[in-house]
């Protein structure tokens, strides 16, 4: 439980975990009420900071400048959606963030990047486009509104060797109700899971991570995909063990 500070990404690194903590507190007994109250108070501070980074013309950017950044905005849309389960979030903010991100689509299944990528966030289409589509679907956008984007991501996931992108694709097609494609991608991921439960084969992620961080992110995305379907219990158990350790 830490005070939020810094840019949108830095503030999120302390605030998003507090969202998850509140979800835990609400589903478990025996947590010190003082800890819950303190965590909720700092979460409120984090929310107030985060909304201050909205770009004047829409979307979010590290310091609230124009133009907004597509993938960072997609991340924010997910964060605010999860946050709304445990803290009051302005519905108008959620709506206009979604609308702004939808307007960034290029009509071919991808998204326009109108701003520089700060830090290590990458503009590679297979990671950025897939991430944006997954975030929109996960945050409640109807699959029918993203038909081109879903088809693009599914095609890339089936043809790539990057397990991070395969995992994103597996999540996307399941959220879109395309289980036949999902089954192929879930099996493809299973073939990349190691004995220790980790999922190898990732080359890049949307945030440009590497090493152990990239393996953890990729395994987590694979876990989310496997847990949407009950046919990969063994892979889920191994993945949980890896992440817990």
């Amino acid at each position: 439980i830490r005070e939020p500070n810094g840019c949108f990404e830095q503030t999120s690194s302390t605030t998003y975990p507090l969202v998850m903590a509140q979800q835990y507190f609400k589903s478990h007994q025996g947590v010190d009420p003082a800890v819950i109250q303190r965590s909720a108070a700092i979460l409120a501070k984090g929310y107030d900071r985060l909304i201050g980074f909205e770009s004047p013309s829409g979307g979010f950017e590290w310091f609230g400048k124009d133009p907004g950044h597509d993938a960072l905005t997609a991340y924010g849309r997910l964060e605010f959606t999860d946050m709304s389960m445990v803290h009051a979030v302005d519905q108008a903010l959620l709506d206009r963030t979604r609308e702004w991100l939808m307007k960034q689509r290029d009509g071919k299944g991808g998204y326009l990047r109108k701003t520089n990528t700060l830090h290590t966030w990458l503009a590679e289409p297979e990671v950025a486009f897939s991430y944006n589509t997954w975030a929109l679907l996960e945050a409640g956008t109807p699959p029918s509104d993203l038909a081109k984007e879903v088809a693009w991501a599914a095609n890339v996931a089936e043809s790539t060797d990057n397990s991070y992108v395969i995992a994103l694709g597996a999540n996307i097609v399941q959220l879109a109700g395309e289980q036949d494609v999902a089954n192929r991608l879930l099996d493809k991921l299973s073939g990349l899971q190691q004995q220790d439960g980790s999922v190898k084969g990732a080359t890049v992620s949307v945030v440009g991570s590497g090493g152990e961080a990239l393996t953890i992110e990729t395994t987590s995305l694979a876990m989310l995909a496997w847990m949407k379907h009950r046919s990969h219990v063994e892979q889920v158990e191994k993945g949980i063990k890896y992440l817990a350790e």
Side-chain angles (χ1 to χ4, degrees), residues 126 160-169 188-189 192 199-204 214-215 218-219 221-222:
E126 69 171 14
T160 187
D161 293 325
N162 184 350
S163 57
Y164 179 90
V165 176
I166 298 168
L168 282 173
K188 192 174 180 181
L189 283 173
L192 295 168
V199 175
K200 299 292 186 180
T203 53
V204 290
L214 179 58
T215 302
T218 304
T219 304
L221 281 171

Side-chain angles (χ1 to χ4, degrees), residues 15-55:
T15 302
Y16 213 156
L18 292 178
V19 171
M20 300 174 195
Q22 288 296 318
Q23 291 174 340
Y24 178 89
F25 296 156
K26 287 179 178 292
S27 59
H28 289 73
Q29 296 180 341
V31 182
D32 184 351
V35 173
I36 299 175
Q37 184 176 7
R38 177 169 166 247
S39 176
I42 297 178
L43 171 58
K45 291 182 182 179
Y47 173 70
D48 289 341
R49 280 190 62 84
L50 287 171
I51 61 176
F53 296 115
E54 187 174 11
S55 301

Side-chain angles (χ1 to χ4, degrees), residues 81-108:
T81 299
D82 283 347
M83 191 184 299
S84 67
M85 301 175 190
V86 296
H87 179 77
V89 174
D90 182 8
Q91 184 60 47
L93 170 70
L94 291 171
D95 292 342
R96 65 177 177 265
T97 300
R98 175 190 177 278
E99 290 168 7
W100 182 88
L101 191 54
M102 292 289 282
K103 289 178 181 178
Q104 307 315 304
R105 295 177 296 167
D106 62 10
K108 302 175 184 177

Side-chain angles (χ1 to χ4, degrees), residues 220-231:
S220 299
L221 281 171
M223 290 282 291
L224 289 174
W226 284 325
M227 288 191 295
K228 286 182 172 69
H229 198 262
R230 299 192 178 189
S231 62

Side-chain angles (χ1 to χ4, degrees), residues 127-142:
V127 296
F129 294 176
S130 298
Y131 183 85
N132 292 350
T133 298
W134 170 64
L136 281 166
L137 289 169
E138 195 71 47
T141 300

